Amino acid sequence: MLKNETYFIDSCDDVELNIKRESKLEFKLTYDDSKEIEAIVCVINGIGGDIKDDLYISDYCARNYNVAVLNVNYHCIGNRPQTGATYYLDDIDKLILDTSLKAISIIPPFNINHIDTFEKINHYLEYIDNQISILKLKWILDVSYILKLSITLQPTKNEYQNFGIMQATDILNALLYIRKNSPFKAMGGGIKHILVGSSHGGYLANLCAKIAPWLVDIVIDNSSHVSLTNLWRVIGFGKEVDFTKYYNFLTPNTFNHIKLYG
């Protein structure tokens, strides 16, 4: 019989940055309890996905092969709107907004520091967009002018990116937990551990193998980001260097005269 079990366990704190973890580590295990399991296959999501995205893959593999499938909601997995992240303006975003408005002589009838919800962001940007329309009609601004602003996604559970270290450790902790508390019948002589990941998930699979080579037998990497030219996406500081060049997403059509760089 096919089993789908969800676990919530304590994982590690961030010793490197001295930050205490605030939430449990969530992961899912799929297996057929009538089979003798030969391998644990850990399917690792890339940016913008979570364990809900891999239900079909997990079920298919567990039904057709003698494997148990592990899916982990690793640290800061909720970093896109589809996984629960919310839009907000951080201090740098607000500084960019304030400086940009002063440059085109728009004095907003609100305090920029009080913009603390998505509804306020949308309302205030609509006002600014309308003011730019008026300035263009008066020929104060060139008709081709576009206001370029920065916006940020706040991850769920007050988590953060740190180049994958916490994420890879979460994946390894989930794997170690299942090894120690195995609910299925394992093949004699030990079972294999196979990590499968695409994009950021592929990077994390390789990072897991680097941290714990004794635990990982096989890595299947589909298009992980290994180019040095794109490492700023994971390390950060793209916004501080040039938010219009080093951005992760762009919303050019939300407003008539504003481009938002995320």
Side-chain angles (χ1 to χ4, degrees):
M1 181 178 176
L2 199 67
K3 298 281 188 178
N4 282 288
E5 300 176 353
T6 301
Y7 298 79
F8 295 88
I9 66 169
D10 292 326
S11 191
C12 59
D13 295 331
D14 193 331
V15 177
E16 182 181 33
L17 298 180
N18 194 29
I19 298 174
K20 187 172 179 58
R21 193 186 196 96
E22 297 180 1
S23 57
K24 297 281 189 178
L25 169 61
E26 178 186 9
F27 59 90
K28 182 173 69 69
L29 185 70
T30 305
Y31 64 96
D32 188 332
D33 62 0
S34 67
K35 294 179 179 179
E36 189 177 67
I37 300 302
E38 300 176 11
I40 298 175
V41 177
C42 183
V43 179
I44 307 173
N45 289 95
I47 298 295
D50 59 16
I51 60 176
K52 298 175 184 177
D53 293 343
D54 293 325
L55 296 177
Y56 172 77
I57 296 173
S58 302
D59 285 8
Y60 180 87
C61 291
R63 289 182 191 278
N64 291 278
Y65 304 98
N66 295 336
V67 299
V69 184
L70 183 66
N71 304 95
V72 184
N73 269 352
Y74 54 73
H75 193 266
C76 201
I77 202 167
N79 53 28
R80 288 292 183 269
Q82 61 267 34
T83 51
T86 54
Y87 290 100
Y88 82 113
L89 300 182
D90 68 9
D91 291 340
I92 297 175
D93 299 329
K94 291 176 181 178
L95 176 62
I96 291 169
L97 174 59
D98 182 56
T99 304
S100 300
L101 292 182
K102 287 177 179 176
I104 57 175
S105 300
I106 290 181
I107 302 175
F110 52 81
N111 189 328
I112 289 174
N113 291 321
H114 293 166
I115 304 176
D116 53 7
T117 66
F118 175 75
E119 289 74 18
K120 287 182 180 179
I121 293 173
N122 192 60
H123 176 69
Y124 293 151
L125 291 184
E126 284 180 347
Y127 170 84
I128 294 167
D129 199 48
N130 184 60
Q131 291 300 301
I132 293 174
S133 292
I134 294 171
L135 292 176
K136 286 185 176 184
L137 288 172
K138 293 180 178 180
W139 296 98
I140 297 174
L141 286 178
D142 189 275
V143 292
S144 63
Y145 174 81
I146 295 293
L147 177 62
K148 298 177 180 179
L149 298 175
S150 177
I151 195 167
T152 302
L153 283 170
Q154 173 66 51
T156 60
K157 297 186 288 187
N158 197 30
E159 294 178 338
Y160 53 91
Q161 296 283 7
N162 72 334
F163 202 44
I165 298 299
M166 286 288 286
Q167 299 171 337
T169 308
D170 274 355
I171 294 165
L172 293 171
N173 282 340
L175 187 56
L176 287 168
Y177 182 90
I178 293 301
R179 274 170 51 95
K180 186 176 181 179
N181 304 278
S182 173
F184 49 74
K185 295 176 291 183
M187 178 185 67
I191 60 177
K192 298 291 185 183
H193 304 114
I194 304 169
L195 305 187
V196 184
S198 62
S199 188
H200 187 62
Y203 163 72
L204 292 180
N206 285 289
L207 190 57
C208 287
K210 179 177 177 61
I211 294 172
W214 51 270
L215 186 62
V216 180
D217 295 290
I218 298 168
V219 168
I220 300 176
D221 171 1
N222 176 8
S223 62
S224 65
H225 44 73
V226 295
S227 170
L228 291 175
T229 58
N230 283 321
L231 283 182
W232 64 266
R233 292 181 179 272
V234 185
I235 299 172
F237 297 108
K239 177 161 55 180
E240 289 84 344
V241 176
D242 185 346
F243 74 94
T244 65
K245 181 179 180 181
Y246 300 110
Y247 60 91
N248 279 285
F249 61 90
L250 173 66
T251 58
N253 301 315
T254 306
F255 300 95
N256 294 319
H257 313 291
I258 300 174
K259 281 187 179 180
L260 293 175
Y261 295 81

